[in-house]
């Protein structure tokens, strides 16, 4: 039975999959089961940032698998503690907690904000999240996700969450009261269409949080780990949040999530408050340490800035309405269905991702070169021309 038939027979229908199945990766290319080569500007939705077949990454993970995979968090794990130190030093925050995914990192932050409200702010429990946001599919993360289409089939949701307009400070201010303990936002709403927070909005939220003793929580699951031309996207702004949530590129394909917080927030968790069986185990932590080292060693932050700028300038030569985003997280808004354009690019061996109805996302591995960008933009431009997009 081929892969498509096998999937359709045995897997729950939670995904509308493309008619593609990959077998192997190399550099910034994926090869399907017939051996056809695809230029990958999707990176497993911003995960495979080192590209494919990075020898240091492969060696580090394989070596760790042969040595020890898992012991549980009943015991100390050297790699986990070393990874925590790296994330703390890189972010300027104070303590890390490890889990397995983006949704779980947001769940952890939601619980930490509630614990802070409970013990430091007279039982405050209200959370403010943004409309058009995306934070994941578990019940807490889904409740933070301000989009009816994801939530409506699963009510009742976690209570005590209100939604403000993204980039509208007044709308945030209106929701603030003494019961508010946390505000969640993305620096760039990825799934929501690659919409960037304005400097004024980000700084304004920070000020509101300082004034009212509220934790500012930035979901960096998609924007973090060098994707946007800084290690963390919040570095594009003037101040630090209290908590960041990470996942996706942190493990380059090995599942790992993390919540990193300052002392003010982190001190509220006590033994028994939160846990994860697999979180930050030997394999996941080893993978993430290697990712962070490779980003530094190979200058991937600079590459995300420079090649991202180049990609942006090339896209702007095409009939696009707007190009949004930072670094190598870019969205081109077009006068056409994003789903149709993505499908047609697939037919020409270029992988892209949609974001909303009319925005196509460009999320290549951070190792991408100008030559790869030229090839991708040529295919994308040819598809727009074929569809008569102006
Ligand atoms: C900003 C953001 N937060 C959270 C998530 C959920 O991450 P995961 O699918 O690893 O649970 C995603 C996934 O796309 C995301 O983009």
């Amino acid at each position: 039975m081929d892969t498509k038939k096998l999937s359709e027979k045995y897997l729950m229908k939670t995904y509308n999959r493309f008619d593609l199945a990959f077998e192997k990766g190399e550099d910034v290319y994926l090869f399907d089961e017939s051996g056809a080569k695809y230029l990958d500007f999707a990176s497993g939705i911003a995960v495979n940032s080192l590209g494919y077949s990075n020898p240091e990454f492969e060696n580090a993970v394989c070596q760790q698998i042969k040595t020890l995979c898992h012991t549980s968090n009943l015991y100390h794990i050297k790699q986990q503690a070393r990874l925590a130190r790296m994330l703390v030093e890189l972010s300027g925050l104070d303590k890390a907690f490890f889990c397995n995914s983006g949704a779980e990192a947001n769940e952890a932050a939601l619980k930490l904000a509630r614990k802070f409200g409970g013990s430091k702010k007279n039982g405050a429990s209200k959370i403010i999240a943004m409309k058009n946001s995306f934070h994941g599919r578990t019940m807490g993360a889904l409740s933070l996700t301000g989009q009816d289409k994801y939530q409506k089939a699963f009510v009742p949701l976690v209570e005590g969450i209100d939604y403000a307009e993204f980039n509208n400070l007044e709308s945030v201010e209106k929701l603030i009261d003494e019961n508010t303990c946390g505000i969640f936002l993305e620096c760039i709403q990825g799934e929501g269409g690659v919409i960037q927070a304005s400097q004024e909005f980000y700084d304004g939220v920070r000020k509101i949080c300082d004034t009212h003793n509220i934790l500012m929580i930035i979901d960096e699951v998609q924007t973090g780990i060098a994707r946007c031309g800084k290690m963390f996207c919040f570095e594009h702004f003037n101040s630090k949040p209290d908590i960041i949530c990470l996942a996706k590129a942190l493990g380059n394909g090995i599942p790992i999530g993390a919540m990193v917080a300052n002392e003010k927030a982190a001190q509220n968790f006590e033994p028994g408050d939160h846990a994860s069986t697999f979180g930050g185990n030997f394999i996941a932590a080893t993978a993430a340490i290697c990712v962070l080292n490779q980003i530094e060693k190979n200058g991937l932050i600079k590459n995300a800035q420079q090649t991202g700028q180049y990609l942006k300038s090339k896209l702007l030569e095409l009939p696009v309405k707007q190009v949004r985003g930072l670094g190598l997280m870019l969205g081109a808004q077009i006068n056409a269905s994003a789903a149709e354009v993505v499908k047609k690019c697939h037919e020409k061996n270029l992988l892209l991702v949609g974001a909303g109805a009319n925005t196509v996302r460009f999320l290549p591995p951070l190792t991408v070169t100008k030559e790869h960008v030229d090839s991708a933009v040529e295919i994308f431009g040819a598809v727009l021309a074929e569809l008569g997009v102006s």
Side-chain angles (χ1 to χ4, degrees):
M1 214 185 271
D2 72 19
T3 305
K4 184 181 175 197
K5 285 199 182 119
L6 206 57
S7 298
E8 286 174 353
K9 186 161 166 52
Y10 293 107
L11 290 168
M12 287 193 202
K13 296 198 187 327
T14 53
Y15 303 102
N16 250 335
R17 293 178 202 263
F18 293 108
D19 199 359
L20 283 169
F22 295 106
E23 203 165 57
K24 192 175 91 147
E26 218 176 272
D27 187 16
V28 297
Y29 298 97
L30 281 171
F31 295 81
D32 73 12
E33 290 177 345
S34 73
K37 184 176 177 181
Y38 290 76
L39 178 57
D40 184 10
F41 269 53
S43 316
I45 324 184
V47 168
N48 303 316
S49 287
L50 302 185
Y52 303 99
S53 57
N54 175 299
E56 276 100 334
F57 180 77
E58 286 174 0
N59 287 340
V61 174
C62 289
Q63 200 49 51
Q64 188 56 55
I65 287 172
K66 286 184 198 165
T67 311
L68 184 58
C69 293
H70 179 87
T71 55
S72 91
N73 284 305
L74 291 174
Y75 315 105
H76 293 287
I77 300 167
K78 188 177 209 161
Q79 284 82 336
Q80 187 185 119
R82 282 180 50 216
L83 174 61
R85 179 175 64 191
M86 289 171 95
L87 289 173
V88 160
E89 287 175 1
L90 287 165
S91 65
L93 298 170
D94 297 312
K95 292 266 189 328
F97 169 83
F98 293 102
C99 50
N100 313 286
S101 67
E104 279 178 70
N106 284 316
E107 293 284 340
L110 178 58
K111 282 179 70 176
L112 186 56
R114 286 255 163 102
K115 187 81 199 297
F116 160 80
S119 46
K120 301 278 163 44
K121 210 183 159 185
N122 299 322
S125 62
K126 186 162 106 179
I127 302 281
I128 296 171
M130 299 300 140
K131 290 182 185 164
N132 197 45
S133 58
F134 187 84
H135 297 290
R137 308 286 194 146
T138 53
M139 283 312 270
L142 179 67
S143 305
L144 294 166
T145 295
Q147 297 196 57
D148 192 48
K149 68 175 177 186
Y150 295 115
Q151 294 181 335
K152 64 177 184 237
F154 304 103
V155 290
L157 301 169
V158 172
E159 61 185 43
I161 300 173
D162 280 348
Y163 308 95
E165 298 279 346
F166 191 58
N167 278 337
N168 180 342
L169 267 184
E170 224 174 273
S171 138
V172 177
E173 267 157 7
K174 268 193 200 146
L175 296 175
I176 302 289
D177 58 26
E178 60 193 20
N179 190 35
T180 311
C181 63
I183 301 182
F184 274 79
L185 71 144
E186 296 153 272
C187 292
I188 302 175
Q189 293 189 326
E191 303 300 307
V194 192
I195 320 267
Q196 204 178 318
S198 68
Q199 195 80 41
E200 187 197 359
F201 184 66
Y202 179 101
D203 293 339
V205 170
R206 178 69 271 178
K207 206 161 160 219
I208 289 173
C209 288
D210 290 341
T211 309
H212 298 274
N213 193 23
I214 294 167
L215 296 180
M216 180 176 180
I217 302 144
I218 299 289
D219 180 342
E220 292 259 14
V221 167
Q222 192 164 152
T223 54
I225 315 297
R227 170 63 49 192
C228 296
K230 303 265 186 195
M231 183 55 84
F232 307 106
C233 196
F234 78 75
E235 296 172 71
H236 285 287
F237 299 87
N238 297 320
S239 51
K240 269 189 293 192
D242 299 294
I243 302 176
I244 57 173
C245 298
L246 303 167
K248 286 195 182 277
L250 183 58
N252 194 48
I254 301 293
I256 180 166
M259 169 177 70
V260 190
N262 62 16
E263 193 57 37
K264 172 182 174 177
Q267 64 178 233
N268 295 286
F269 265 174
E270 296 163 304
D273 278 343
H274 200 49
S276 163
T277 296
F278 295 123
N281 80 4
F282 285 87
I283 311 171
T286 298
I289 289 170
C290 184
V291 166
L292 297 175
N293 285 333
Q294 289 290 300
I295 286 172
E296 224 229 295
K297 187 172 156 207
N298 299 326
L300 298 186
I301 292 183
K302 200 160 177 212
N303 193 51
Q305 288 164 5
Q306 292 177 344
T307 313
Q309 192 52 45
Y310 181 71
L311 172 58
K312 193 170 199 170
S313 69
K314 295 306 274 183
L315 288 172
L316 284 168
E317 290 171 12
L318 299 176
V320 296
K321 281 177 76 177
Q322 222 181 13
V323 180
R324 296 185 296 266
L326 289 166
L328 284 167
M329 178 175 175
L330 295 178
Q333 193 180 334
I334 45 176
N335 272 327
S337 146
E340 194 177 358
V341 170
V342 167
K343 190 148 186 290
K344 288 229 168 274
C345 286
H346 287 179
E347 287 162 15
K348 294 184 188 301
N349 297 47
L350 169 67
L351 302 176
L352 293 170
V353 202
N358 305 106
T359 300
V360 175
R361 246 180 308 175
F362 291 75
L363 299 164
L366 303 181
T367 53
V368 77
T369 64
K370 286 186 176 172
E371 289 69 35
H372 298 130
V373 166
D374 288 339
S375 307
V377 173
E378 194 183 321
I379 296 170
F380 182 62
V383 166
L384 295 185
E386 260 174 41
L387 291 171
V389 176
S390 55

